[in-house]
């Protein structure tokens, strides 16, 4: 049996400098040490996974609290998501006060207006997830500073921007705020911004040619990254060498008996910059048929974004195939087992997060649907190809032939930059 290959763990940023957090114990006196974190989430797994991945890489997995920004749901609220979350909430209250029991008049697409949840973890079964309230977090950071030290705040996603920036504005002496994903403007509101390099695609000559001159001033970002912007290739995540080894052990009984090579197929869903439908599903199934002879076994998974019309095509084609197992969506999710045990991956081009995780394994990653991507996603896929991290899936591949590359270590690299920024401020991080 071909042994599974796991990437070697990168050098821990906490080991840099000879001591914990990059500072030896002798220098701890008089240095503010961060031992805890607050994560500001938006309820979207792809975004929250980035924040949790950074916190994990910094060694604070057991010392963080998750807060979440919520929006009203249903009816007219579906048309108000472009507003800042605070404005949306205020407008929702006004609407409900004016119309009272007639709110159903504002119901759209068969959905009634839903009240704001009193417990923010309601949708995920997380009773411990708290509503992201700026005043409460600022008060906590100030009152516990002398005893517990500074507070690391990590946020990701558009709805978290105003919360995170307000916390820094009101408690700048007590917090270090990291915003993941480009906040569009006024980067000085944060201590550090971590964002993929392709978010700066609008500043490239090629992008400028695609935008009329009178619209260019409205395209963000408007300026090149400065010294407190950390550029990554892809998305941050929680997949590192330790996590893969743990998953390899946890999923051993299910995956070890499978015939090799094991091909894992991850299917996402169309997005703003990667639009497709059943045509891509048919292309995928046809190409998969061509490579099945060189596969020992195949595992297929869909994401939460996968439309039924796409999953139905795949299930109809391969649902009873003896070599292929299609995950039915029930827990436990085999995703980490797939990452640990797969010999190769095929991933749809729409998902930056799935591609980033797969590329962190150092194993062959094939991408399908790149030609359907536009704007900054073109730049993202170009970077992956130039670094030798991915190849296009054509259906002509021999899956028994392997190839490798230095694993993508965006999360560890970003964590190292956080340590560096803290050191420049005269702070340290000690889990």
């Amino acid at each position: 049996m071909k042994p599974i290959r796991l990437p070697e763990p990168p050098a821990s940023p906490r080991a840099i400098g000879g001591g914990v957090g990059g500072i030896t114990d002798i220098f701890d006196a008089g240095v503010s040490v961060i031992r805890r974190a607050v994560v500001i989430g938006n309820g979207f797994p792809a975004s929250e996974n980035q924040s949790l991945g950074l916190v994990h890489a910094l060694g604070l997995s057991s010392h963080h609290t998750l807060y979440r920004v919520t929006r009203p749901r249903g009816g007219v609220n579906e048309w108000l998501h472009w507003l800042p979350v605070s404005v949306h909430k205020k407008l929702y209250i006004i609407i409900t006060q004016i119309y009272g029991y007639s709110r159903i008049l504002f119901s759209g697409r068969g959905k009634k207006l839903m009240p704001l949840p009193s417990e923010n973890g309601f949708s995920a079964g997380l009773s411990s997830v708290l509503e992201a309230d700026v005043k409460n977090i600022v008060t906590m950071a100030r009152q516990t500073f002398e005893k517990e030290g500074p507070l690391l705040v990590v946020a990701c996603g558009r709805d978290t921007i105003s919360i995170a920036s307000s916390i820094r504005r009101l408690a700048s002496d007590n917090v270090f705020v990291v915003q993941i994903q480009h906040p569009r403007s006024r980067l000085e509101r944060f201590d550090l911004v971590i964002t993929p390099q392709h978010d700066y695609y609008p500043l490239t000559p090629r992008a400028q040619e695609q935008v009329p001159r009178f619209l260019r001033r409205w395209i963000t970002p408007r300026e090149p990254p400065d010294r407190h912007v950390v550029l990554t290739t892809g998305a941050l995540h929680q997949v590192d060498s330790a996590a893969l080894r743990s998953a390899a052990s946890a999923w051993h009984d299910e995956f070890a008996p499978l015939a090799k090579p094991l091909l894992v197929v991850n299917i996402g869903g169309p997005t703003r910059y990667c639009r497709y439908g059943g045509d891509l599903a048919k292309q995928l199934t046809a190409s998969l048929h061509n490579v099945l002879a060189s596969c020992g076994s195949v595992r297929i998974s869909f994401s939460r974004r996968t439309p039924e019309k796409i999953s139905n095509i795949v299930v109809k084609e391969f649902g009873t195939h003896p070599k292929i197992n299609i995950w039915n969506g029930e827990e436990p999710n085999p995703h980490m087992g797939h990452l640990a045990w797969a010999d190769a991956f095929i991933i749809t081009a729409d998902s930056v997060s799935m591609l980033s995780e797969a590329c962190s394994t150092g194993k062959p990653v094939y991408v399908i649907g790149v030609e359907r991507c536009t704007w900054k996603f073109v730049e993202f896929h170009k970077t992956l190809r130039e670094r030798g991290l991915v190849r296009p899936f054509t259906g002509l591949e021999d899956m028994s032939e392997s190839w490798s590359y230095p694993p993508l270590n965006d999360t560890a690299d970003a964590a190292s930059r956080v340590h560096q920024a803290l050191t420049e401020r005269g702070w340290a991080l000690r889990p």
Side-chain angles (χ1 to χ4, degrees):
M1 179 186 299
K2 183 180 176 181
I4 61 172
R5 296 181 292 107
L6 298 177
E8 291 301 315
S12 169
R14 293 192 298 278
I16 298 173
V20 179
I23 296 181
T24 54
D25 290 344
I26 194 172
F27 294 114
D28 280 353
V31 174
S32 295
V33 179
I34 293 178
R35 296 184 175 88
R36 62 213 169 110
V38 158
V39 172
I40 311 294
N42 60 0
F44 292 94
S47 295
E48 293 185 355
N49 188 45
Q50 295 203 60
S51 295
L52 294 172
L54 180 62
V55 167
H56 172 76
L58 292 170
L60 296 174
S61 291
S62 302
H63 305 281
H64 78 275
T65 304
L66 176 59
Y67 293 80
R68 187 170 287 159
V69 181
T70 55
R71 284 182 181 268
R73 299 177 302 132
V76 71
N77 291 307
E78 302 302 314
W79 302 98
L80 299 178
H81 277 207
W82 60 274
L83 292 171
V85 64
S86 58
V87 177
H88 183 177
K89 288 182 177 181
K90 291 176 181 177
L91 186 56
Y92 169 81
I93 292 173
I94 293 174
I95 290 174
T96 55
Q97 287 178 342
I98 292 176
Y99 288 94
Y101 293 109
S102 298
R103 284 180 296 165
I104 194 170
L105 294 175
F106 278 77
S107 295
R109 290 178 282 182
K111 299 179 182 178
K112 292 183 178 180
L113 288 170
M114 301 296 291
L116 287 168
S118 56
E119 192 69 56
N120 207 3
F122 75 105
S123 62
L126 300 173
S127 60
S128 61
V129 181
L130 305 174
E131 174 69 21
D133 182 274
V134 172
K135 183 178 179 180
N136 289 343
I137 297 173
V138 166
T139 300
M140 180 266 290
R142 288 173 174 170
Q143 292 181 348
T144 60
F145 180 79
E146 291 297 328
K147 183 178 180 180
E148 300 185 38
L151 181 67
L152 177 68
V153 178
V154 181
C156 180
R158 182 170 66 90
D159 284 350
T160 69
I161 292 173
S162 61
I163 302 292
S165 60
S166 296
I167 292 172
R168 182 178 182 270
R169 176 173 54 85
L170 296 172
S172 58
D173 294 335
N174 313 109
V175 300
F176 188 90
V177 178
V178 179
Q179 184 71 35
I180 302 174
Q181 293 184 339
H182 202 285
R184 296 180 179 272
S185 63
R186 297 176 54 205
L187 304 189
E188 74 280 357
R189 293 176 291 171
F190 311 95
D191 293 296
L192 207 64
V193 173
I194 301 174
T195 190
Q197 185 163 356
H198 61 260
D199 276 351
Y200 281 89
Y201 175 72
L203 297 183
T204 64
R206 182 176 178 181
Q208 293 289 305
E209 292 175 358
Q210 300 176 48
V211 180
R213 185 175 297 275
F214 73 93
L215 290 177
R216 291 177 188 173
R217 61 174 301 194
W218 304 105
I219 298 295
T220 56
R222 299 177 186 174
E223 299 177 352
D226 59 26
R227 62 185 303 272
H228 79 297
V229 175
V230 179
L231 295 179
T232 63
T233 298
L236 305 188
H237 51 77
Q238 302 183 66
V239 179
D240 59 12
S241 179
L244 289 173
R245 293 181 189 279
S246 176
S249 176
W251 290 91
H252 176 274
D253 292 347
E254 180 167 344
F255 287 97
L258 296 180
K260 292 287 188 174
L262 169 60
L263 174 64
V264 168
V265 182
N266 290 331
I267 302 173
T271 65
R272 177 182 178 187
Y273 296 116
C274 282
R275 299 185 183 277
Y276 59 84
D279 56 334
L280 184 65
K282 293 175 182 178
Q283 177 187 340
L284 173 61
T285 55
S287 297
L288 264 180
H289 274 296
N290 293 337
V291 301
L292 281 180
S294 62
C295 294
S297 50
V298 179
R299 304 276 297 213
I300 299 177
S301 290
F302 304 106
S303 77
R304 293 178 178 87
R305 297 185 294 103
T306 309
E308 266 191 38
K309 65 180 180 180
I310 290 177
S311 59
N312 287 343
I313 291 173
V314 176
V315 171
K316 181 179 179 180
E317 192 70 25
F318 295 120
T320 59
H321 197 286
K323 274 191 178 183
I324 299 176
N325 175 279
I326 301 177
W327 180 47
N328 59 10
E330 296 181 0
E331 295 297 336
N333 188 330
H335 180 61
M336 286 301 299
H338 287 170
L339 289 171
W341 283 91
D343 293 294
F345 302 90
I346 296 173
I347 301 176
T348 54
D350 56 274
S351 181
V352 175
S353 57
M354 288 195 298
L355 284 165
S356 300
E357 289 176 342
C359 289
S360 72
T361 68
K363 302 173 186 179
V365 179
Y366 297 95
V367 186
I368 186 167
V370 173
E371 68 281 358
R372 291 167 168 81
C373 295
T374 60
W375 196 236
K376 62 182 182 179
F377 266 44
V378 174
E379 190 74 7
F380 170 62
H381 286 288
K382 177 184 176 183
T383 301
L384 295 184
R385 290 193 305 273
E386 289 177 346
R387 291 187 55 176
L389 303 175
V390 303
R391 296 179 183 178
F393 179 55
T394 64
L396 302 177
E397 293 78 9
D398 181 348
M399 290 300 171
S400 64
E401 296 181 357
S402 186
W403 48 277
S404 62
Y405 47 86
L408 188 62
N409 285 323
D410 277 338
T411 308
D413 294 342
S416 180
R417 288 291 301 275
V418 172
H419 278 280
Q420 179 183 343
L422 288 171
T423 300
E424 292 174 357
R425 184 167 175 171
W427 291 2
L429 190 148
R430 170 174 295 175

